[in-house]
Each structure stands twice: as C-alpha cells, then as structure tokens.
Amino acid sequence: MFKKLYNSFLDLIYLNKCAVCNKTIKAGVICQSCAKKISFLSTYPHKIYKKIPIFSATLYDDVVKDLIHKLKFQHKKQTSIILGKILFEYFEKLNLKDDFIIIYPPSFFTKSLQRGYSHIEQICREFSKLSGLKIEKNLIKKIKYTKPQYKVKDKRKNIKDSFKVDKNLLQNYQNKKLLLIDDITTTGATFEEIINCFLEFNFKNIICLSIAKSKK
C-alpha cells in the first residue's frame, strides 16, 4: 500500500498531464498526439489591411481552441507556454530579421481585475523568451469597455474607438517596427482598429500575428 502511494507521489512530481487530453507525459505541456493535430497555416499574409500584413499561425480548431479556452477561462496558465511556442515556430518560418517591439491588444482594466491577468500578455511573455524581442505593454491602451468579440455580430462597431496610443511614449518608438500579437483572428476588426490608431501617428512598420484564425 505504501509503495503504491509512494509511486503515485513520484508520478505527481516527475510526470505531467497533457493540457488537452489529460494523457500522462514525461515533459512539456501537451502530448505528441495532440501536437500533431495542430493545423499550421501558410506563411503568406492571410489578410492585408492598409498595406499592413496580418498573419495567423494556425486554424482555430481542436487543440489550439482548447488551449486558448483553458488559458482565458480556466486559469490554466501553463498553456501559455505551448501557445507561445506555437507562435514562435510560425514566426521563425516568416524569416523576419527585423528587431520588432512586441505589443498586444490590452484588456479594459475591469476585465484584467476580474481574470487576475492578461492572457495575451502571458502568451507574449513566452513568445518574448523564445524570440528575444522586447514587450511594450503601455504603448497602446484600452480606453473603454467592450463586449467580448466572440459574443457580438458587428465586431467592428463593438471595438471602434476603444484603443488609444500613449502619446508620451511615441518618441521612444516612432522609428521602431511593431509586432502586434493577438490570440484569435476572425474578421480582423481588433487588428484593424489598432492599426488605425498607429497610422494616425505615421507608424507604418507594423506586422500583425495571431495564434489562430477562426473559420467563421
């Protein structure tokens, strides 16, 4: 009896569970079977908005959908590790040698307080560790509350005028190249709204990159 308990204790220490299927694995966040189900997309821009390319690393289905959902709604922060890795593997395929500054769509402060963290920031931190690119989380701000994009039909109307560039930081980044990261792209409305904010201040060196592209 004691031996069984001891072995179970060792399993808890040295073995992990796949974040998707709960299968026991020796290391990492997801098992090889789940990893093989990830559908990576081509390295061509999946949309171009006002000459700004928008890329998506994967399709929003099965494994990636589950990982994002667990990070956003179930406080499974360890899933940000694999999501950051997915993003980095795709980013490497783009073969962009520029020294980008990472930015991401911020949450309205009430949402951040409710969740206790920004899920996009968690992913960007993991991506930053792998890429060596720095994050600037204050350059763009969320200035009004909006409904979650997946809950509304008119996504552009919902997100309109909800972001603002911090003018006090502009001079530090005016000549920098920006890598705008988000989790899911459906219509691209969030990316477009933030792009418009930066174009007002003549920012043109912007690349948009999401982890997943929704089929809807």
Side-chain angles (χ1 to χ4, degrees):
M1 181 68 177
F2 175 78
K3 186 175 181 181
K4 288 183 179 179
L5 289 173
Y6 179 71
N7 288 335
S8 297
F9 177 70
L10 289 179
D11 286 345
L12 288 173
I13 296 176
Y14 296 109
L15 297 177
N16 300 316
K17 298 288 186 180
C18 173
V20 178
C21 69
N22 211 37
K23 177 182 177 181
T24 299
I25 53 178
K26 291 185 178 180
V29 177
I30 63 174
C31 66
Q32 290 185 356
S33 296
C34 288
K36 290 179 181 178
K37 294 178 182 177
I38 297 173
S39 302
F40 279 93
L41 296 175
S42 72
T43 55
Y44 293 99
H46 304 112
K47 187 174 186 178
I48 296 178
Y49 178 74
K50 296 184 178 180
K51 298 183 179 181
I52 305 298
I54 298 174
F55 298 90
S56 295
T58 71
L59 285 178
Y60 184 60
D61 59 6
D62 298 330
V63 173
V64 173
K65 183 177 182 179
D66 191 61
L67 289 169
I68 292 175
H69 189 274
K70 285 179 176 176
L71 178 60
K72 290 179 73 170
F73 305 113
Q74 298 179 23
H75 288 249
K76 303 290 185 181
K77 291 186 180 181
Q78 72 270 24
T79 60
S80 65
I81 297 173
I82 188 64
L83 289 170
K85 186 176 181 181
I86 289 170
L87 205 60
F88 177 67
E89 288 182 3
Y90 180 82
F91 180 74
E92 280 197 311
K93 294 177 183 177
L94 297 180
N95 200 29
L96 300 172
K97 302 300 182 182
D98 302 291
D99 187 17
F100 291 96
I101 299 295
I102 300 170
I103 59 174
Y104 55 87
S107 300
F108 194 61
F109 76 97
T110 55
K111 283 187 180 179
S112 296
L113 289 174
Q114 184 178 15
R115 182 176 288 142
Y117 61 94
S118 165
H119 72 287
I120 296 297
E121 182 178 354
Q122 294 289 321
I123 295 168
C124 287
R125 285 180 180 178
E126 297 300 328
F127 177 81
S128 175
K129 291 176 186 177
L130 295 169
S131 65
L133 300 177
K134 295 182 179 179
I135 301 172
E136 173 50 71
K137 62 180 183 179
N138 296 315
L139 186 57
I140 187 79
K141 298 181 179 296
K142 188 78 175 285
I143 58 174
K144 75 173 185 180
Y145 174 82
T146 57
K147 294 179 181 179
Q149 288 290 77
Y150 65 88
K151 290 186 176 182
V152 297
K153 290 184 178 180
D154 194 337
K155 301 182 188 303
R156 287 180 174 81
K157 183 178 180 181
N158 181 57
I159 206 74
K160 186 173 175 57
D161 299 325
S162 62
F163 297 105
K164 184 179 180 180
V165 175
D166 188 337
K167 294 181 181 178
N168 296 321
L169 295 175
L170 277 178
Q171 61 181 3
N172 297 330
Y173 297 101
Q174 194 69 58
N175 297 318
K176 299 290 184 179
K177 296 183 178 180
L178 304 179
L179 178 62
L180 175 55
I181 292 176
D182 203 358
D183 56 351
I184 307 163
T185 303
T186 304
T187 62
T190 301
F191 277 147
E192 291 172 11
E193 186 66 23
I194 295 177
I195 287 171
N196 288 335
C197 289
F198 282 106
L199 289 180
E200 287 183 17
F201 299 98
N202 295 318
F203 276 87
K204 296 179 180 178
N205 293 319
I206 306 171
I207 299 291
C208 297
L209 175 58
S210 72
I211 295 173
K213 178 177 174 57
S214 175
K215 296 177 182 178
K216 296 180 181 180

